[in-house]
């Protein structure tokens, strides 16, 4: 007797494509606070823009201090930010 394993993955579909070197980022609620310094903001990359030369990937965790614009898509808040405004990322 064979047991067939099935896996159901629900992928969030976002009907938004950022232009050029912009990224659509889901904001993180958790932040690490260092004494005497303003913590960088962070989030997860959900959608890459139309530029074919990105260093970050979908799913990367990115960090920034300033920049980007908040957008609301289907009642959820996201950030559109240029890759050049990032401090760094984790794969």
């Amino acid at each position: 007797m064979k047991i067939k394993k099935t896996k159901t993955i629900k992928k969030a579909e976002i009907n938004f494509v950022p232009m050029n070197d912009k990224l659509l980022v889901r904001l993180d609620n958790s932040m690490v606070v260092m004494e005497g310094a303003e913590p960088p903001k962070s989030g997860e990359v959900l959608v890459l823009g139309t530029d074919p030369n990105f260093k970050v990937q979908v799913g990367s965790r990115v960090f920034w201090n300033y920049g980007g614009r908040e957008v609301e898509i289907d009642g959820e808040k996201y950030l559109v930010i240029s890759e050049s405004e990032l401090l760094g990322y984790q794969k």
Side-chain angles (χ1 to χ4, degrees), residues 45-70:
V45 176
L46 299 178
V47 182
L48 299 176
T50 56
D51 188 339
N53 301 315
F54 280 103
K55 293 182 177 95
V56 299
Q57 302 169 3
V58 171
S60 295
R61 185 167 182 222
V62 293
F63 302 88
W64 68 94
N65 273 335
Y66 307 101
R69 298 284 183 259
E70 278 195 17

Side-chain angles (χ1 to χ4, degrees), residues 1-41:
M1 177 179 197
K2 286 187 176 182
I3 299 173
K4 187 177 180 182
K5 293 183 179 181
T6 59
K7 188 175 182 182
T8 305
I9 299 174
K10 290 186 177 181
K11 185 178 179 183
E13 292 186 23
I14 298 174
N15 189 16
F16 183 85
V17 178
M19 296 302 298
N20 304 319
D21 73 331
K22 305 287 191 285
L23 312 165
L24 183 68
V25 175
R26 178 186 305 136
L27 301 171
D28 248 350
N29 291 332
S30 60
M31 285 195 237
V32 177
V33 179
M34 296 180 188
E35 188 175 327
E38 184 178 325
K41 298 170 184 84

Side-chain angles (χ1 to χ4, degrees), residues 67-78:
R69 298 284 183 259
E70 278 195 17
V71 295
E72 189 170 317
I73 302 168
D74 298 330
E76 296 289 325
K77 289 187 179 180
Y78 300 96

Side-chain angles (χ1 to χ4, degrees), residues 73-90:
I73 302 168
D74 298 330
E76 296 289 325
K77 289 187 179 180
Y78 300 96
L79 186 79
V80 176
I81 190 166
S82 185
E83 189 178 44
S84 63
E85 294 177 303
L86 300 177
L87 296 173
Y89 67 99
Q90 292 177 324

